[in-house]
Amino acid sequence: MSVIDELKSAIKAKLSELDLVIGWGPGFDPLHATPLFMRCEKDVDKLLWGPLNVHNPATYLPGLKGKKVGVVVKGCDSRSVIELLQEKLVKREELVIFGAPCAGVIDMGKVRRALGDLDKVNAVSIEGDNVVVTAGGKQHTLPLAEVAADKCGRCRYHNALISDVFVGEHLPPSVEQDDYADVEAFESQSLEERNAYWKREMQRCIRCYACRNACPLCVCRDHCIAQSRDPHWIGQGDNVGDKWMFQMIHAQHLAGRCTECGECQRACPVGIPLLALKRKLNKEIKELFDYEAGVDPNACPPLQSFKVEEEHINERGW
Amino acid sequence: MAQAKFLKEADLAAWLGELAKGRKVLVPQKDGDAVVFKPWHEGVKPVLDRQATESPKKAVFPASEKLFRFSYIKDPENPGKVRVELEEPEKPEPALVFGGRPCDARGFLIFDRVYDSPKTRDSYYVARREATAFVTLACPEASNTCFCHAVGSGPADTAGSDALMTPVEGGYVLEAISPKGEELLKSPLLSDAGDKLAQAERVKAQAVESLPPAPDFAGSPEALMARFDDMGFWENASAKCISCGACTYLCPTCYCFSITDEESGMKGVRMRSWDNCMSYQFTLEASGHNPRPTKAHRLKNRVGHKFSYYPLIHKGAIACCGCGRCIKSCPVSVDIREIVTMAIEAAPTAEESAQPQGAKQ
Ligand code: SF4
Ligand code: SF4
Ligand code: SF4
Ligand code: SF4
């Protein structure tokens, strides 16, 4: 049985015990999948699994507290679930987790760059290591490795790290270690260059907060500092200063909690490379605390705990 | 109709140069992976072969606008006494939106009924509206997310534009729609369109053909009203929505705002900024009560406003121009067409329609 058929029958077998199961279904065109909320067998028949399943369904979990929810996860999504469990934002007994090996998802930005735009896609098929996209009558054969999300190239967790039902064969990690080479390359630029880069990027931010609302761990949402009037932390102007301030706070609040699922960046309608900010902070967390978010359900994120003496910070030696 | 003109592709930059004398010309241009409207200057190549990521609404309705500046002045004789001084903002500069699509220009007709009506005249809006002209590009081809033809418009709709340009071989055919447009087309760079006009007509006809069959939204005002109290329907329709504001901020027809005082020390500005009904704070009352506490209530408002409440008070005009940006750029692909269709298909049962409205729940 194929992975998708196994998944479907595993979900159907559990459906009667659950209020709903979250996965992915077909969207408005063949390139866009969309989160699917399954409540009956007919819904389950629409389930998709594969490189178009770009969304992280863990994002919905904190909002569904009190319900019995099934969730289908890729490896990276499972890390968000773990982080939510660690932070007690969801309850393990309210969840049934369905996992399968994930070989990678595509980055719509890369496909857009290859096609010019994504407006006229008529057909998409996965043929071996390629994704074949027909748009405006023209066929484009794009190697999956080239249009995959960057996170997939450095993925060490293709298989859900936590699951109640796992179907399919485990995949080996893509790399042994995340060397944060992208962050280091950026860090090698001068402060002025880095500042200019972010000023340019943030200028087109429309302050829609899709980055925030798509993030599974950005859980203040309705009570976010970005829009609070009292206290009025951040101005409402259309200026880089206030937009940047929000991103800095978002990044700080996610330090050591961010599982690098990339939803913030994927959700941004104007393509601001937000994941780089989160990776920078995670690199610091890794160096300071030797800690990686969303791997161990029993661990506590370092910035949510307190130790008189940190093992990796030589406080007395200064 | 006024005479149609022809602009050679090679003369586009020169014409933009002429237009940019004495006014700000906003053209769609690449910014990272997005296409956004920014002022044209020498060397900028407008992106005309696809719909821009954002709408050009900020040209008339800025993302944030200074209503006035204020400063508090202490009385030197009596420091307990403070006077407030107000300063009006500068008048808006003349502007031109170049290369927007018919849906983009039409968006402002939806604003006009609200901000420039016999009852209410928003002086800030009206001043910018009057200072802004639109040279619109007829769409040669529709996108997957386009549905202008379902809301009474079309890929060569001239409503709201001052001039319409249609891409033809070697350049563009330009037609004036308004006296403002006729002025713009007086440039010596333009020649008589001659038989190119017939070519332009063919391009327009092809665009109409490229659209999929239009969903039928007749009856949406009543259908959505009938679902008003059916929160089960809205919870289902909004299940995947993440309640961000991307749809509303990219939309050419969303016009809600919020007002804040942005002050530092003794000085500040009163600012009007885009707000959006998908945000919790949008209807949060000072008491702490929120009449729209969940994303289901909020999405109901967005869809209801466009396809029901607005048409009910504006002679049937739907407050959506069918540009499809809310679908295309939604992080989770919420499809407003689908929701309206679902509401229409979920026609109330005989029992429901026998009840007075609002009696449920
Ligand atoms: S990071 Fe790994 S688990 Fe996540 S989408 Fe990419 S390959 Fe799949
Ligand atoms: S900050 Fe971005 S990458 Fe990190 S968990 Fe949130 S959405 Fe995912
Ligand atoms: S999603 Fe992008 S445009 Fe929206 S607030 Fe975040 S950075 Fe800005
Ligand atoms: S509601 Fe969507 S389709 Fe309609 S005008 Fe707004 S963005 Fe465009």
Side-chain angles (χ1 to χ4, degrees):
Chain A
M1 215 170 18
S2 66
V3 165
I4 181 72
D5 290 332
E6 275 190 68
L7 263 179
K8 282 182 189 169
S9 51
I11 295 169
K12 283 181 184 171
K14 291 262 183 206
L15 202 56
S16 61
E17 301 158 31
L18 299 168
D19 287 309
L20 73 162
V21 181
I22 314 171
W24 306 263
F28 64 83
D29 76 4
L31 190 61
H32 291 84
T34 185
L36 176 70
F37 286 66
M38 296 169 268
R39 294 170 207 274
C40 61
E41 297 216 346
K42 243 172 75 195
D43 295 337
V44 182
D45 291 329
K46 294 187 209 151
L47 181 73
L48 297 177
W49 176 261
L52 301 177
N53 296 7
V54 293
H55 324 77
N56 182 348
T59 296
Y60 296 106
L61 298 179
L64 291 167
K65 255 213 275 202
K67 291 206 158 77
K68 192 110 186 11
V69 179
V71 60
V72 191
V73 292
K74 307 186 288 292
C76 49
D77 306 335
S78 79
R79 285 181 64 191
S80 307
V81 177
I82 291 177
E83 187 65 34
L84 288 168
L85 286 167
Q86 281 178 259
E87 297 184 25
K88 303 195 171 43
L89 293 164
V90 296
K91 291 194 178 132
R92 185 67 183 93
E93 63 275 17
E94 288 179 355
L95 294 181
V96 173
I97 305 165
F98 301 90
C102 164
V105 295
I106 65 169
D107 176 335
M108 291 297 165
K110 292 184 184 175
V111 178
R112 181 185 286 113
R113 267 164 257 155
L115 265 61
D117 70 38
L118 302 178
D119 287 357
K120 297 172 188 91
V121 174
N122 320 111
V124 177
S125 59
I126 310 298
E127 290 170 18
D129 291 338
N130 295 312
V131 49
V132 181
V133 184
T134 315
K138 251 175 76 187
Q139 206 176 346
H140 306 258
T141 301
L142 311 167
L144 271 168
E146 273 171 35
V147 293
D150 288 345
K151 65 174 178 178
C152 303
R154 52 177 178 256
C155 179
R156 282 151 299 132
Y157 308 104
H158 293 281
N159 318 299
L161 285 175
I162 186 172
S163 59
D164 297 296
V165 182
F166 189 89
V167 304
E169 300 289 323
H170 281 64
L171 283 173
S174 295
V175 294
E176 278 310 310
Q177 273 299 321
D178 184 350
D179 57 8
Y180 285 98
D182 50 334
V183 180
E184 273 170 18
F186 190 74
E187 284 169 340
S188 71
Q189 297 179 45
S190 73
L191 212 49
E192 290 72 31
E193 283 169 315
R194 283 181 268 166
N195 192 22
Y197 174 84
W198 283 112
K199 272 191 170 159
R200 198 167 58 238
E201 290 295 321
M202 288 312 298
Q203 217 174 339
R204 66 177 178 276
C205 166
I206 54 170
R207 298 194 76 163
C208 66
Y209 303 123
C211 48
R212 174 192 75 192
N213 286 31
C215 172
L217 295 157
C218 220
V219 282
C220 305
R221 287 185 197 164
D222 289 352
H223 307 281
C224 175
I225 53 108
Q227 287 151 302
S228 123
R229 292 271 190 105
D230 185 18
H232 194 142
W233 294 111
I234 300 185
Q236 296 306 306
D238 181 27
N239 59 70
V240 170
D242 285 328
K243 296 170 184 177
W244 181 240
M245 180 73 174
F246 169 69
Q247 286 307 336
M248 285 297 98
I249 294 173
H250 187 183
Q252 300 268 358
H253 286 181
L254 269 294
R257 305 172 56 228
C258 166
T259 52
E260 300 186 20
C261 65
E263 280 295 88
C264 46
Q265 175 163 320
R266 189 192 64 77
C268 178
V270 292
I272 300 176
L274 301 166
L275 186 55
L277 300 170
K278 318 294 163 46
R279 282 187 46 81
K280 164 66 181 164
L281 284 173
N282 273 357
K283 174 172 171 272
E284 300 301 319
I285 295 288
K286 181 94 183 118
E287 280 163 14
L288 280 177
F289 302 106
D290 191 20
Y291 181 82
E292 194 173 10
V295 184
D296 173 4
N298 299 314
C300 184
L303 297 190
Q304 299 199 351
S305 61
F306 175 74
K307 270 195 206 159
V308 176
E309 279 191 59
E310 285 293 343
E311 284 146 48
H312 300 269
I313 306 177
N314 181 6
E315 285 167 281
R316 297 189 182 224
W318 287 346
Chain B
M1 214 221 306
Q3 202 191 10
K5 299 280 181 81
F6 177 67
L7 172 74
K8 284 207 287 283
E9 179 70 47
D11 289 338
L12 177 63
W15 191 42
L16 284 168
E18 279 182 10
L19 293 170
K21 281 197 194 107
R23 62 166 90 72
K24 181 168 75 181
V25 177
L26 293 163
V27 304
Q29 46 192 289
K30 280 238 20 146
D31 187 347
D33 275 347
V35 176
V36 302
F37 285 88
K38 287 199 294 190
W40 180 88
H41 55 81
E42 202 63 54
V44 167
K45 207 173 145 29
V47 177
L48 300 176
D49 64 349
R50 76 198 79 153
Q51 187 194 46
T53 315
E54 63 176 17
S55 88
K57 79 172 160 191
K58 63 186 178 198
V60 176
F61 184 64
S64 67
E65 175 170 36
K66 292 184 184 79
L67 299 178
F68 52 78
R69 283 172 223 283
F70 57 84
S71 26
Y72 297 108
I73 318 278
K74 272 193 186 154
D75 185 343
E77 304 293 311
N78 177 1
K81 231 171 112 185
V82 178
R83 199 159 50 77
V84 182
E85 233 170 52
L86 302 181
E87 204 187 307
E88 274 194 63
E90 308 77 37
K91 289 262 165 303
E93 51 177 328
L96 170 69
V97 175
F98 183 92
R101 299 299 173 100
C103 47
D104 294 334
R106 191 186 164 92
F108 289 107
L109 302 184
I110 287 146
F111 275 71
D112 289 345
R113 294 186 193 97
V114 179
Y115 287 149
D116 189 9
S117 79
K119 263 204 265 168
T120 328
R121 203 156 184 268
D122 184 294
S123 56
Y124 294 90
Y125 173 79
V126 172
R128 279 188 205 276
R129 182 82 167 103
E130 281 168 359
T132 311
F134 293 86
V135 173
T136 301
L137 185 78
C139 296
E141 244 184 320
S143 303
N144 283 348
T145 40
C146 293
F147 59 101
C148 52
H149 59 327
V151 294
S153 179
D157 189 357
T158 55
S161 298
D162 296 295
L164 186 73
M165 56 195 280
T166 309
V168 293
E169 224 184 288
Y172 304 92
V173 166
L174 284 143
E175 297 163 81
I177 311 299
S178 72
K180 251 192 210 171
E182 282 188 27
E183 279 305 308
L184 295 170
L185 299 195
K186 284 199 171 136
S187 162
L189 288 166
L190 311 179
S191 57
D192 192 86
D195 60 354
K196 302 262 186 205
L197 186 58
Q199 232 190 83
E201 293 308 322
R202 278 200 297 280
V203 170
K204 292 183 204 169
Q206 261 166 29
V208 176
E209 277 164 32
S210 77
L211 282 156
D216 182 6
F217 293 144
S220 72
E222 296 74 25
L224 285 160
M225 273 320 225
R227 293 269 75 86
F228 191 86
D229 288 318
D230 184 355
M231 282 319 287
F233 175 87
W234 290 105
E235 269 155 34
N236 184 28
S238 67
K240 66 185 172 189
C241 171
I242 56 170
S243 206
C244 68
C247 50
T248 64
Y249 287 171
L250 296 169
C251 174
T253 68
C254 275
Y255 52 71
C256 285
F257 61 80
S258 138
I259 291 181
T260 50
D261 283 352
E262 307 290 336
E263 53 183 305
S264 132
M266 301 286 278
K267 279 200 239 179
V269 289
R270 178 154 296 176
M271 188 124 80
R272 153 156 99 181
S273 321
W274 289 351
D275 199 351
N276 82 84
C277 55
M278 304 312 291
S279 135
Y280 178 82
Q281 285 81 357
F282 186 73
T283 44
L284 179 59
E285 293 170 8
S287 65
H289 170 68
N290 196 334
R292 295 198 199 122
T294 70
K295 65 179 180 184
H297 291 87
R298 306 199 280 266
L299 188 66
K300 171 172 86 171
N301 181 71
R302 188 169 78 88
V303 180
H305 184 188
K306 290 179 186 297
F307 285 87
S308 178
Y309 327 146
Y310 186 104
L312 286 173
I313 53 174
H314 293 292
K315 302 198 182 87
I318 291 176
C320 160
C321 58
C323 73
R325 287 191 177 90
C326 58
I327 307 166
K328 190 191 318 197
S329 288
C330 172
V332 294
S333 300
V334 170
D335 189 336
I336 195 165
R337 297 170 293 194
E338 191 181 70
I339 299 174
V340 178
T341 305
M342 262 162 60
I344 292 174
E345 280 171 2
T349 60
E351 189 194 330
E352 269 179 325
S353 33
Q355 279 181 15
Q357 235 169 48
K360 258 178 63 183
Q361 281 194 345

